[in-house]
Amino acid sequence: MPITYDSDNRIFKLDTANSSYVFEIFEQNYLVHLYYGGKIPDANLKEHKYKGGFASFSPVNINIDDDWFSPDVSMFEFPCEGSGDFRESAFAIRNPDGNNTTDMRYVSHEIYNGKPKLEGLPSLFVNDESEAQTLEILTRDNVTGIQAVLYYTVFEELGAMTRSVRIINPTSKPFEIERLLSCCVDFNTHDFDMITLYGKWFKERSVDRMHLSHLTQGISSKRGSSSHHHNPFGVICDRDATEDTGNVYGFNFVYSGNFTFKAQVDGFAGTRVLMGLNPDAFGWILEAGEDFVAPEVVMVYSDKGLGEMSRTFHKLYRKHLIRGKWANIKRPLLINNWEATGMDFTGDKLVTFAERAKELGIDMLVMDDGWFGRRDDDTSSLGDWQVNEEKLGGSLSSFIDRINELGIKFGIWFEPEMISRDSELYRAHPDWCIHVPNREKSIARHQYVLDYSRKEVRDYIYSLMYDVLSRNKIDYVKWDFNRNLSEVGSAGFPPEKQKEIFHRFTLGTYEILDRLTTDFPDILLEGCSGGGGRYDPGMLYYAPQIWCSDNTDPIERLTIQFGTSMCYPASTMGAHVSASNRAGYETKGNIALWGTFGYELDPNKFSDEEREIVRDQVGEYHKYYDIIHSGDLYRLITPFENPWRAAWMFVSEDKNEALVTSVTMRRPEDRSYFLRLKGLDEEKYYVDDESGEVYSGALLMKAGLSFSRYGMNDGDSFKVYLRAL
Ligand code: GLA
């Protein structure tokens, strides 16, 4: 049983294959955290029960033996505001009498197989109840009666857990939630590093690492999306943890809006790690009888460094996050016209793309931005989702027929949460965008954000999308989002509820995504936000792949893909070969192969030689699809640490196949290049598919594979495919 409760000692123990998470019901029903780390087999943890702690100046609980329990120095599962713990809290609620003091204590618990769905929110799921076990703990503030249910789900085999919280108001008066973080983990040491992913448009998810210090450090977003700037992902790890060694704790928020991830180190050498909705841009009125569910946090522990943590996230997401038809069947190899044409295209022009695609073995054409309203540039028409038949030279369905007749599938672009200032929709409903009264609305890319907190707005946009998708044979939708939210307010809600609009906006987006994926289960959805501005598990719940970045320069893509791989699997990374000339087609292909693979260029412009390379690449896409989409990733040389080259490999689950790729970014200094591989079976012998040479797994991992025979110029790359004999 992954979750056990020792009723004599009142201790909960949540075990996975490699970790244990332990906490107790302390005196006076405080939920006190005891341990999170490598797996411990002991059932009896009596000696590890909390002995209490006292700190001068910190209040004590007078009902617990004199003065030996100061909340301020105790480790809590769900710390709240105003009752003696001065660190960052997970929960603050404004009570009907005006104060925000709360003190949540254990009431009861339940342990059951499976995992509950979070209403209206994306969350990890189980395919079978036996795959996970859940602990639900009811807590209550005895003065106000407000309740919180803490959810812990354990994916035993995968070394992973999820956490979430439901606040219930069983009273007859309204409360206001001011702060609600889904996960708090208190550690009794601060000997840690923090790793986060930072960036901006065109340069997403670079890896940042720092020592924790005696302060509160962390990342957040209040842009209304998870953002290009910080990903809702963070790691706390041993200071000397590496790719292959050390204790590593990964946290990922299943949410696409404002978030926070922080670590607070106190004067007692303790570290509190928190993740959840960003309290700076959140508030929620909880009316009598209502409840509120916080999005969930995924926690992954590894005692074998960062690489193992990433592989666990990848497996977990492939099996328990990515849903629907496209989770398990082969995705189409696509060509997208955006970088080649922008909005300057015609139906005839795109048909030539499809003709070339057919010759090359590509499966699908995606028509990007510019097919609707009067959209010839980015100044107009978002919200007017009516087909521009003049541009396409006929109806959308007759255009799609022309593509399909060539044997090519068809995909289309939408930006459903946006409205152009110059649009019929804006002229008809100027109050349908996010705005606050009497204040100029900031514009970005000539557009405003639609007020998805309002049902009538969502219903209207969805009816237009439904019309396009139900009347035409559309196999794929790219869902874009090209600005962040400012002057956040809604004409649909009273003043006291304006704090809810950010979250209501995200819930509105999820509702439409849910309707879309339910009504059109066969459509492959690709998320996008100016590239990877909303690359998070929330979006991945609906869209199995996300366009990784608008930056398709292959060398730039290396850091972007390495960073993204910290927690997101290769099967989710939208990666295309473009016309960018920092490297040749071979290298561009080798790098795009790491992700979903596709093309983003004008295929009419290929030389004969390039056409041959592309044909070969299409063959490689098919050959390596399984190992990339379901194999284990090993980051061998990361471009964040090595200025000369990057290298990575995929290994099949049975360790019988491996695909190794190395890219030279700058002419390296070493005389000969031996790349030490990882993840193989030492006992097995592997044959190099191309040269026919045979090596032991031990040699490949210890002495390394010789890459000296390959070119070492800037932008060179090579891959080796190994098969076990
Ligand atoms: C965003 C996307 C691009 C493209 C354009 C269209 O920037 O990231 O791929 O779809 O929008 O406007």
Side-chain angles (χ1 to χ4, degrees):
M1 290 282 274
I3 303 179
T4 49
Y5 177 61
D6 167 0
S7 54
D8 292 340
N9 296 301
R10 305 216 299 169
I11 294 177
F12 293 101
K13 186 158 175 274
L14 286 62
D15 287 331
T16 73
N18 70 344
S19 67
S20 293
Y21 184 102
V22 186
F23 60 99
E24 72 172 280
I25 309 166
F26 186 66
E27 285 186 40
Q28 300 289 325
N29 292 333
Y30 282 102
L31 280 175
V32 168
H33 180 80
L34 297 176
Y35 171 79
Y36 183 30
K39 184 163 184 165
I40 42 180
D42 309 54
N44 182 0
L45 292 166
K46 194 171 153 198
E47 287 311 308
H48 283 76
K49 276 175 73 71
Y50 189 44
K51 311 282 185 304
F54 166 77
S56 290
F57 276 76
S58 297
V60 293
N61 184 321
I62 49 166
N63 294 316
I64 299 179
D65 276 356
D66 297 334
D67 61 357
W68 62 276
F69 183 80
S70 300
D72 205 21
V73 291
S74 304
M75 306 207 294
F76 288 118
E77 285 302 304
F78 190 55
C80 24
E81 203 67 30
S83 39
D85 180 351
F86 297 104
R87 291 162 294 179
E88 297 256 346
S89 68
F91 181 46
I93 190 159
R94 188 66 55 187
N95 299 318
D97 52 12
N99 69 75
N100 75 346
T101 293
T102 320
D103 194 352
M104 308 301 285
R105 308 285 181 91
Y106 169 88
V107 177
S108 62
H109 74 269
E110 212 188 322
I111 296 171
Y112 52 87
N113 285 343
K115 180 175 190 294
K117 232 173 116 53
L118 303 186
E119 210 43 55
L121 285 166
S123 58
L124 267 58
F125 60 86
V126 289
N127 305 286
D128 183 292
E129 301 257 297
S130 64
E131 290 171 341
Q133 205 171 52
T134 298
L135 165 65
E136 246 184 71
I137 298 188
L138 175 66
T139 65
R140 184 175 55 222
D141 176 60
N142 288 330
V143 173
T144 60
I146 205 79
Q147 299 177 347
V149 180
L150 314 183
Y151 295 91
Y152 301 78
T153 295
V154 175
F155 290 85
E156 187 181 12
E157 271 179 35
L158 288 164
M161 289 170 51
T162 58
R163 307 247 325 242
S164 166
V165 188
R166 176 191 298 270
I167 306 299
I168 303 168
N169 178 3
T171 77
S172 56
K173 295 196 172 141
F175 286 69
E176 184 185 339
I177 304 173
E178 295 182 331
R179 175 185 180 88
L180 180 58
L181 301 183
S182 306
C183 146
C184 167
V185 184
D186 277 337
F187 292 92
N188 57 12
T189 168
H190 70 304
D191 214 2
F192 285 134
D193 276 4
M194 176 188 266
I195 298 174
T196 55
L197 302 175
Y198 74 99
K200 54 186 173 185
W201 175 75
F202 225 59
K203 201 160 182 63
E204 296 91 337
R205 292 175 294 285
S206 285
V207 176
D208 213 357
R209 181 167 181 163
M210 63 169 132
H211 290 330
L212 288 192
S213 227
H214 287 86
L215 37 89
T216 303
Q217 51 248 278
I219 52 166
S220 65
S221 164
K222 51 178 180 175
R223 296 170 167 268
S225 75
S226 46
S227 93
H228 299 88
H229 297 252
H230 282 119
N231 196 267
F233 166 75
V235 171
I236 300 296
C237 61
D238 289 347
R239 287 196 170 191
D240 56 0
T242 66
E243 191 67 15
D244 304 304
T245 62
N247 291 297
V248 170
Y249 304 84
F251 299 82
N252 200 191
F253 196 30
V254 188
Y255 190 62
S256 312
N258 300 333
F259 74 92
T260 184
F261 171 70
K262 50 176 87 170
Q264 182 180 33
V265 177
D266 61 36
F268 301 89
T271 303
R272 171 166 290 175
V273 178
L274 293 154
M275 184 175 247
L277 295 167
N278 185 349
D280 285 352
F282 169 76
W284 196 271
I285 308 280
L286 199 62
E287 302 289 352
E290 283 186 353
D291 61 355
F292 178 90
V293 187
E296 78 184 9
V297 169
V298 181
M299 292 163 50
V300 166
Y301 167 79
S302 153
D303 57 359
K304 296 191 187 65
L306 296 162
E308 184 73 11
M309 172 204 68
S310 298
R311 287 185 288 278
T312 301
F313 271 113
H314 299 170
K315 281 188 198 131
L316 187 70
Y317 287 175
R318 286 197 301 250
K319 200 163 169 205
H320 299 287
L321 177 64
I322 313 292
R323 297 178 309 155
K325 168 175 166 178
W326 297 102
N328 296 316
I329 67 166
K330 196 165 178 178
R331 317 249 182 92
L333 198 176
L334 65 87
I335 182 162
N336 176 306
N337 69 302
W338 175 249
E339 285 197 23
T341 66
M343 297 178 213
D344 183 17
F345 60 83
T346 60
D348 287 344
K349 172 94 185 161
L350 294 187
V351 170
T352 69
F353 277 46
E355 285 164 352
R356 298 297 84 73
K358 180 67 193 167
E359 290 158 13
L360 294 165
I362 294 169
D363 305 312
M364 179 189 282
L365 172 77
V366 175
M367 176 169 69
D368 211 280
D369 194 355
W371 56 268
F372 51 92
R374 293 176 292 101
R375 188 141 165 112
D376 292 323
D377 56 38
D378 63 13
T379 60
S380 86
S381 302
L382 293 171
D384 299 343
W385 298 107
Q386 287 89 16
V387 179
N388 182 342
E389 297 195 347
E390 207 180 310
K391 199 167 191 171
L392 295 189
S395 68
L396 180 58
S397 62
S398 63
F399 169 66
I400 296 174
D401 282 346
R402 291 173 72 194
I403 307 288
N404 287 167
E405 274 158 21
L406 294 165
I408 297 288
K409 294 180 194 310
F410 178 77
I412 199 166
W413 179 96
F414 278 99
E415 197 177 354
E417 297 142 285
M418 297 291 162
I419 178 168
S420 297
R421 182 160 55 186
D422 177 7
S423 64
E424 299 306 327
L425 184 63
Y426 187 66
R427 280 182 280 278
H429 297 285
D431 68 327
W432 273 19
C433 60
I434 294 278
H435 69 285
V436 295
N438 308 318
R439 193 173 290 281
E440 181 116 358
K441 297 183 282 292
S442 305
I443 197 120
R445 211 192 187 207
H446 311 281
Q447 66 200 54
Y448 301 127
V449 182
L450 276 168
D451 183 356
Y452 263 35
S453 70
R454 293 172 66 176
K455 186 164 171 6
E456 65 273 36
V457 176
R458 299 196 299 270
D459 285 350
Y460 175 77
I461 293 295
Y462 188 66
S463 70
L464 299 187
M465 289 183 83
Y466 186 88
D467 206 47
V468 174
L469 298 176
S470 58
R471 285 166 191 261
N472 298 287
K473 200 176 162 333
I474 292 173
D475 298 299
Y476 159 110
V477 166
K478 177 173 170 187
W479 178 302
D480 214 335
F481 178 86
N482 279 316
R483 65 160 289 180
N484 289 134
L485 280 60
S486 58
E487 296 88 26
V488 174
S490 166
F493 289 86
E496 66 276 15
K497 284 187 170 281
Q498 295 296 316
K499 287 180 187 160
E500 302 176 6
I501 301 307
F502 265 124
H503 185 56
R504 284 186 182 277
F505 173 82
T506 305
L507 294 178
T509 298
Y510 289 151
E511 188 212 82
I512 298 301
L513 282 162
D514 195 52
R515 288 167 75 176
L516 185 82
T517 47
T518 306
D519 290 345
F520 302 99
D522 290 339
I523 288 183
L524 170 61
L525 199 58
E526 175 150 0
C528 179
S529 170
R534 206 161 54 174
Y535 205 126
D536 56 63
M539 288 308 288
L540 286 174
Y541 179 74
Y542 304 98
Q545 56 194 58
I546 297 179
W547 182 226
C548 209
S549 177
D550 276 345
N551 193 337
T552 53
D553 175 294
I555 304 302
E556 292 287 323
R557 271 285 177 141
L558 289 172
T559 52
I560 295 168
Q561 294 180 189
F562 266 85
T564 304
S565 78
M566 288 298 282
C567 61
Y568 305 110
S571 62
T572 68
M573 279 193 218
H576 297 168
V577 173
S578 75
S580 150
N581 55 13
R582 271 279 282 286
Y585 275 96
E586 211 171 307
T587 292
K588 291 191 281 192
N590 285 340
I591 295 169
L593 260 184
W594 182 341
T596 57
F597 200 74
Y599 291 87
E600 185 100 9
L601 39 67
D602 185 346
N604 295 295
K605 293 189 175 156
F606 284 137
S607 65
D608 288 347
E609 191 194 341
E610 287 165 351
R611 234 188 308 279
E612 277 319 302
I613 297 176
V614 170
R615 270 205 198 92
D616 287 349
Q617 277 172 355
V618 170
E620 289 183 337
Y621 162 81
H622 292 293
K623 179 171 177 188
Y624 301 132
Y625 186 91
D626 285 342
I627 192 172
I628 291 168
H629 279 244
S630 54
D632 283 332
L633 170 76
Y634 290 83
R635 292 177 292 253
L636 302 176
I637 303 178
T638 143
F640 294 111
E641 284 162 19
N642 187 309
W644 300 295
R645 57 167 73 95
W648 63 96
M649 67 189 282
F650 288 96
V651 182
S652 62
E653 227 177 322
D654 59 9
K655 296 185 185 293
N656 280 339
E657 279 178 275
L659 177 67
V660 187
T661 308
S662 171
V663 178
T664 307
M665 299 178 292
R666 280 172 53 207
R667 179 170 273 278
E669 62 180 8
D670 40 5
R671 164 178 336 119
S672 52
Y673 174 29
F674 289 92
L675 181 63
R676 278 193 286 279
L677 308 189
K678 294 180 182 173
L680 301 175
D681 185 338
E682 284 201 8
E683 308 285 313
K684 285 183 177 160
Y685 279 81
Y686 294 86
V687 58
D688 176 336
D689 205 37
E690 199 180 304
S691 68
E693 294 292 333
V694 174
Y695 316 95
S696 68
L699 175 140
L700 291 167
M701 294 197 287
K702 290 175 180 162
L705 178 65
S706 171
F707 272 77
S708 306
R709 63 194 144 127
Y710 295 103
M712 292 287 173
N713 293 318
D714 295 12
D716 278 351
S717 72
F718 24 88
K719 55 185 181 310
V720 172
Y721 175 58
L722 300 162
R723 269 183 301 110
L725 289 177

